[in-house]
Amino acid sequence: MPNSPTVRRMPTYLHRLFRMRNDGEQFVSSSELARYLRIEPIVTRKDIAMTGLPGHRRHGYVIDELIAAIKDYIGWNDKITATLLGAGSLGSALLGYQDFPSYGLDIISVFDANPDKIGQDIRGHRVFNIKLLPDVIKLNPPKIAIICVTSDAAQQVADTLVSLGIRYFWNFANVSLQVPDDVIVQREVIAGGFAMLASKIKYAEKGEHFNLGD
Amino acid sequence: MPNSPTVRRMPTYLHRLFRMRNDGEQFVSSSELARYLRIEPIVTRKDIAMTGLPGHRRHGYVIDELIAAIKDYIGWNDKITATLLGAGSLGSALLGYQDFPSYGLDIISVFDANPDKIGQDIRGHRVFNIKLLPDVIKLNPPKIAIICVTSDAAQQVADTLVSLGIRYFWNFANVSLQVPDDVIVQREVIAGGFAMLASKIKYAEKGEHFNLGD
DNA sequence: TAGATTGTTAATCGATTAACAATC
DNA sequence: TAGATTGTTAATCGATTAACAATC
C-alpha cells in the first residue's frame, strides 16, 4: 500500500517542516511545500491525503500534526535496529549519517572482513570480524541488514543473513541480490542516479527537451 | 526523452552484462536479464528497444553490442568532469567509488571548509579550501558539481557554483536546491530509500500486501 | 461577503503488462 | 518443421494533472 513516489517525497517535506517549525511557524499550505519541492500543489495535497491528516481550509496544515502524520506514514516513529555489513568508505559514511537516529534507524552492530578494520572503533561502533556474524546476530538480532560490502561479496553475505533469519535488506552494493520471495530488499542504486544525470546532460546538450522527473 | 525507470535499470543490466562477458558469453536473452533483476522479460525488451539495438530472434542480444548501446544511451561513453564539494564521510566515500571512472565520471577538484581537511590528500585528490572555489573552477571548469556538504551549507555553495556557470548538479544533501530553471539538479535521496524500506516493513508486518516496486 | 485553501471527482498521461505476430 | 525469441500493437494500471466544489 505505500506508494513509491509519495513515500520518497515525504523526507523532503519533513526536512522543510522541521525548519519551519524551528522558525516558529505553525501552519503550512500545500502550495508553500510544493514551491520548495518544485512540484504542483495538488501533488502535495494528494501526498498529505495519503497520511489521512485533514487540513484546515484557508490556513493549510498544522505543522506539528503534519510532521507526526508523515513520520507515522513512513514508519519513522518505529525504531528499526540494523546491522551494517562492510565498514569501508560507504559504510563509514553511513555510520556518520547524523540523521539516521531521527529516522528511527539504530545501527547495533558492524562487520568487516578487513583485519585493519576489525576491532577498530568507527564513530562509536566497534567493528566485528565478519566470521563472528552468526554468533553476534543470534545474540543481538537486528531487524534489517545494510549491505555495504563489495559487489563480489554481497550475495554470499546476504545468503548468510537470510539463513540467520534476516528478512529486510537495504542494499548499497551494485548488484541485484537473489533472495527468497518473502525477503524484502530495498536497493540504493547510486549508479542509477548518475545514469539519470548523465542522460539528462546528453539530451539537454542536444537541445532536446524532456520531463525533469526524478 | 530519457525515461526514468528505464534509465535507472540500465546500470543493473550493465553490471550483469560485464560479468557475463567476463565469463566468455556472447549472447543474452531478455528473459535471462529479467530473471536477474526480478522483472518481466517484456520490460527488458522494451528497455533495450529504447537504445535502438536490434536483437536476434532465437538467440537474443549480442552482449558486446548491448553493452555499447546501453552505455551510449545513458551517456557513459562521454567523459563528464566533476568538482566535489565536501570531503566529509560521504564525499570521501564517493572519492573511493571505484566504478566512477567506468561511468565516465572524472572528479577533477575537491573542496572543503574544514581546516583539518584542507591540503590533505584523500584517495589521490588534494582538498582545496572552499574559499578558493571561484579561482579553481575558473581555471579548470568542471561539467557538474557533486554536493556533499551539510544541508545547511548546500544552498549557498550551489548559488556560488551557479554564478560560476555550473549548470548540472548531483545533490547528496538532504535539501531541495533552489536554482534557475535552466540548471539541472539530480537529487540522491538516501532518506527516500530508507523511507521506502521503513514503510514496506511497516505494512509487511501488518500482513498487508503491496507491489514490490522500487 | 470575498478570498484562500482543502479536498473530491474526472481526465490525462506514461509505464507496465498482455497478446500475439514475425522470424530465425 | 518446431521452438525459441524478438518486436509490435493494444489493454491495463497507477500516478499526475485538471476542474471545480466545499468551506472556513
Side-chain angles (χ1 to χ4, degrees):
Chain A
M1 225 203 178
N3 153 316
S4 167
T6 295
V7 171
R8 288 180 175 279
R9 282 188 290 265
M10 291 302 191
T12 312
Y13 293 134
L14 271 186
H15 190 267
R16 186 67 173 178
L17 291 169
F18 287 142
R19 184 147 149 200
M20 293 182 76
R21 182 168 66 178
N22 239 34
D23 293 350
E25 309 212 37
Q26 295 194 357
F27 284 88
V28 64
S29 70
S30 58
S31 50
E32 211 172 337
L33 279 176
R35 192 160 356 141
Y36 175 67
L37 271 80
R38 316 203 132 206
I39 57 180
E40 295 300 315
I42 181 64
V43 176
T44 300
R45 285 208 292 286
K46 291 268 189 196
D47 286 345
I48 295 172
M50 293 295 289
T51 69
L53 181 76
H56 300 272
R57 289 167 211 254
R58 280 277 284 147
H59 298 99
Y61 304 87
V62 177
I63 290 180
D64 282 333
E65 291 177 2
L66 187 50
I67 288 174
I70 290 177
K71 278 186 151 185
D72 185 55
Y73 181 68
I74 59 180
W76 284 5
N77 284 324
D78 312 320
K79 290 278 165 259
I80 295 182
T81 52
T83 182
L84 174 67
L85 288 303
S89 52
L90 185 54
S92 301
L94 294 183
L95 284 174
Y97 211 58
Q98 312 243 341
D99 290 339
F100 277 166
S102 79
Y103 300 169
L105 181 63
D106 182 16
I107 298 177
I108 59 174
S109 55
V110 180
F111 297 88
D112 205 293
N114 183 342
D116 296 346
K117 293 272 165 65
I118 295 166
Q120 290 255 318
D121 192 289
I122 299 186
R123 297 165 188 272
H125 297 265
R126 160 79 68 83
V127 179
F128 288 103
N129 188 331
I130 200 156
K131 287 182 182 160
L132 299 177
L133 187 57
D135 305 308
V136 177
I137 295 294
K138 276 177 201 156
L139 206 65
N140 204 4
K143 173 69 85 178
I144 74 169
I146 306 175
I147 307 290
C148 290
V149 299
T150 61
S151 304
D152 294 333
Q155 184 62 54
Q156 196 200 328
V157 167
D159 290 343
T160 305
L161 288 160
V162 166
S163 75
L164 290 167
I166 302 295
R167 290 165 45 89
Y168 302 101
F169 288 82
W170 195 11
N171 178 22
F172 285 81
N174 195 21
V175 290
S176 175
L177 295 177
Q178 308 299 307
V179 294
D181 281 347
D182 63 334
V183 171
I184 290 175
V185 179
Q186 179 69 31
R187 247 189 99 197
E188 209 59 45
V189 196
I190 292 189
F194 181 66
M196 276 306 294
L197 179 57
S199 56
K200 282 178 187 177
I201 291 175
K202 182 167 174 170
Y203 286 89
E205 312 240 306
K206 274 192 198 166
E208 298 184 25
H209 278 285
F210 52 90
N211 290 359
L212 321 102
D214 41 314
Chain B
M1 229 207 173
N3 154 313
S4 167
T6 295
V7 171
R8 287 179 177 279
R9 281 188 290 264
M10 291 302 192
T12 312
Y13 292 134
L14 272 186
H15 191 267
R16 186 67 174 177
L17 290 169
F18 287 141
R19 184 145 148 203
M20 293 181 76
R21 181 168 65 178
N22 240 33
D23 294 348
E25 311 213 35
Q26 296 195 358
F27 284 88
V28 65
S29 69
S30 58
S31 51
E32 212 172 337
L33 279 177
R35 191 158 358 134
Y36 176 65
L37 272 81
R38 317 205 128 205
I39 57 181
E40 295 300 316
I42 181 65
V43 176
T44 300
R45 284 207 294 285
K46 290 269 189 195
D47 286 344
I48 294 172
M50 294 295 289
T51 70
L53 181 78
H56 300 272
R57 290 170 210 251
R58 281 273 289 143
H59 299 100
Y61 304 88
V62 177
I63 290 181
D64 282 333
E65 290 177 3
L66 187 49
I67 288 174
I70 291 178
K71 278 187 152 184
D72 186 56
Y73 180 69
I74 59 179
W76 284 5
N77 285 323
D78 312 321
K79 291 278 164 258
I80 295 183
T81 52
T83 181
L84 174 67
L85 287 303
S89 51
L90 185 55
S92 301
L94 295 183
L95 284 174
Y97 211 60
Q98 312 242 344
D99 291 337
F100 278 165
S102 79
Y103 299 170
L105 180 63
D106 181 15
I107 298 177
I108 59 174
S109 54
V110 180
F111 297 89
D112 204 295
N114 182 342
D116 295 346
K117 294 273 166 66
I118 295 166
Q120 291 255 318
D121 191 289
I122 300 187
R123 297 164 187 275
H125 296 265
R126 162 78 70 83
V127 179
F128 289 103
N129 188 330
I130 199 157
K131 287 183 180 156
L132 298 176
L133 186 57
D135 305 307
V136 177
I137 295 294
K138 276 177 200 156
L139 206 65
N140 203 4
K143 174 68 83 178
I144 74 168
I146 305 175
I147 308 291
C148 290
V149 300
T150 61
S151 304
D152 295 334
Q155 184 62 54
Q156 195 199 328
V157 167
D159 290 343
T160 305
L161 289 159
V162 167
S163 76
L164 290 166
I166 303 295
R167 288 164 45 86
Y168 302 101
F169 288 83
W170 196 10
N171 179 22
F172 286 81
N174 194 19
V175 291
S176 174
L177 295 178
Q178 307 299 305
V179 294
D181 280 347
D182 63 336
V183 170
I184 290 174
V185 179
Q186 179 69 31
R187 248 187 100 197
E188 209 60 44
V189 197
I190 293 187
F194 181 67
M196 276 305 294
L197 180 56
S199 55
K200 282 177 186 175
I201 291 175
K202 183 167 174 169
Y203 287 89
E205 311 242 306
K206 276 192 197 166
E208 298 184 24
H209 277 286
F210 53 90
N211 290 0
L212 322 102
D214 42 316

